[in-house]
Amino acid sequence: MHLIIHKIRLLAPEQAAAFEAWVLGTDYATCPQLPSVEAFSVQRADAGQGFDYFEVITVTSQDAFEADMASAAFASLVAAFSGMAEVVEELSGAQLGQGYRRAACL
């Protein structure tokens, strides 16, 4: 698996509510149209970090994700995102093993 992390800064602080509503209502909902995306989440950053949010994207491969980036669905996400925010830093790399996840409680 390949992980991509984007640090995100809002273009204007007053856009926070609109940005979060867009993430919850549109960004997450579009993920099933992007076959390479295994998991996706957006987190509100703690204050004082120099960015407002960060997103963690787990994809099947970088090449597959780049192919998804050429889709109309992805283009519509970029158009909306660009009006509210910008990516200020990107980190990416391959995950080592399966990692750790606590088992669900029964």
Side-chain angles (χ1 to χ4, degrees), residues 7-47:
K7 294 180 181 180
I8 299 166
R9 184 178 306 129
L10 293 174
L11 299 179
E14 61 271 11
Q15 292 181 309
F19 178 77
E20 290 182 16
W22 174 78
V23 166
L24 295 171
T26 302
D27 206 11
Y28 287 167
T30 304
C31 287
Q33 298 175 45
L34 306 171
S36 69
V37 176
E38 296 284 327
F40 174 71
S41 66
V42 177
Q43 290 66 227
R44 189 180 306 119
D46 291 340

Side-chain angles (χ1 to χ4, degrees), residues 6-105:
H6 290 141
K7 294 180 181 180
I8 299 166
R9 184 178 306 129
L10 293 174
L11 299 179
E14 61 271 11
Q15 292 181 309
F19 178 77
E20 290 182 16
W22 174 78
V23 166
L24 295 171
T26 302
D27 206 11
Y28 287 167
T30 304
C31 287
Q33 298 175 45
L34 306 171
S36 69
V37 176
E38 296 284 327
F40 174 71
S41 66
V42 177
Q43 290 66 227
R44 189 180 306 119
D46 291 340
Q49 296 197 54
F51 56 95
D52 302 302
Y53 299 89
F54 61 98
E55 61 185 14
V56 179
I57 311 163
T58 304
V59 297
T60 54
S61 73
Q62 184 67 35
D63 290 341
F65 186 61
E66 288 174 10
D68 283 348
M69 290 170 64
S71 71
F74 194 88
S76 71
L77 293 176
V78 170
F81 177 91
S82 297
M84 296 180 280
E86 62 184 347
V87 172
V88 295
E89 184 176 358
E90 177 177 290
L91 306 168
S92 65
Q95 180 175 319
L96 297 177
Q98 293 301 307
Y100 170 80
R101 184 171 300 238
R102 182 182 305 266
C105 297

